[in-house]
Amino acid sequence: MCDIIYLLRSIINNLKIGTKLVEGGKVYTIYRINEEKADGKTRRIICYKPHYSNISNNTVICSLPENNLTEANVRQPISAKELKEIIEGLSGKSRYLELDAIEAKLILESNSIYETAEIIKRCWREKSENEEGFTKTKRDILELAIDKIVEEVALVGGTSLDTARLTITKALS
């Protein structure tokens, strides 16, 4: 566990302008890094904005002290190799049959693409096995889970958001 925390901190401490970050399933780009001095210590403030902007978020900008990024559950995107594994894994069997909506919503807050992909697999499998019994809540969870990974899939895969969504649904079928 200490090795993982050290690795995360070392990755976060090498941030520069143009670096991509993932927070809550959304991809952001660092556009400015400010340095502030307080109590004789210098701390870096990371300023970032949505990488895929649209009408609803084109004026959004965020800032956070660099040492708080891991605590705020902000991470860097996965690698292309990891993306390939996730896409291939979407076509496999899920670990659990029944999906608990409350558990799924908690997992979706974790900002983990791996756990989100597992939720997508579970929802998709449940939907395909019992279309009539697939509730609106579970349909909403499936859509939310896909929305949570589509930007990262597009970024890492070098495609558009629509192509990334299509890649995800093709892998599930």
Side-chain angles (χ1 to χ4, degrees):
M1 185 68 168
C2 291
D3 291 335
I4 293 171
I5 292 171
Y6 175 76
L7 180 63
L8 285 173
R9 286 193 177 135
S10 68
I11 289 170
I12 295 296
N13 289 333
N14 292 320
L15 297 177
K16 59 185 183 237
I17 294 174
T19 300
K20 305 299 186 263
L21 301 172
V22 178
E23 178 183 16
K26 301 295 180 196
V27 176
Y28 295 90
T29 303
I30 296 175
Y31 72 94
R32 185 174 63 219
I33 299 174
N34 297 329
E35 290 192 3
E36 292 181 354
K37 290 192 177 197
D39 300 326
K41 295 180 182 177
T42 302
R43 72 179 191 167
R44 292 176 10 139
I45 307 297
I46 307 300
C47 302
Y48 52 99
K49 59 185 176 182
H51 182 71
Y52 297 100
S53 61
N54 56 38
I55 293 171
S56 67
N57 72 0
N58 65 355
T59 59
V60 172
I61 56 170
C62 308
S63 63
L64 197 60
E66 184 175 39
N67 59 344
N68 289 359
L69 288 173
T70 47
E71 188 177 317
N73 205 11
V74 176
R75 61 177 175 80
Q76 288 187 301
I78 59 172
S79 68
K81 180 182 176 186
E82 291 171 304
L83 175 62
K84 184 180 177 196
E85 291 171 4
I86 287 172
I87 296 299
E88 288 173 355
L90 287 174
S91 62
K93 276 193 161 185
S94 62
R95 292 181 281 170
Y96 311 102
L97 277 172
E98 188 69 26
L99 178 73
D100 178 64
I102 296 169
E103 175 192 353
K105 288 178 182 178
L106 289 173
I107 290 171
L108 291 177
E109 291 176 9
S110 73
N111 198 28
S112 168
I113 192 167
Y114 298 103
E115 291 179 350
T116 302
E118 185 61 33
I119 294 294
I120 292 169
K121 252 191 330 189
R122 289 169 60 185
C123 278
W124 193 269
R125 182 176 185 101
E126 192 171 328
K127 178 183 175 188
S128 63
E129 288 178 356
N130 185 9
E131 181 78 39
E132 296 163 1
F134 197 67
T135 65
K136 180 182 179 336
T137 301
K138 290 182 181 178
R139 207 171 302 119
D140 292 345
I141 289 171
L142 175 60
E143 189 60 33
L144 177 62
I146 291 173
D147 287 345
K148 289 258 186 194
I149 70 168
V150 75
E151 284 191 17
E152 191 167 1
V153 169
L155 176 75
V156 176
T159 64
S160 69
L161 295 174
D162 291 334
T163 303
R165 186 176 296 277
L166 187 61
T167 301
I168 293 165
T169 53
K170 275 185 178 180
L172 291 164
S173 298

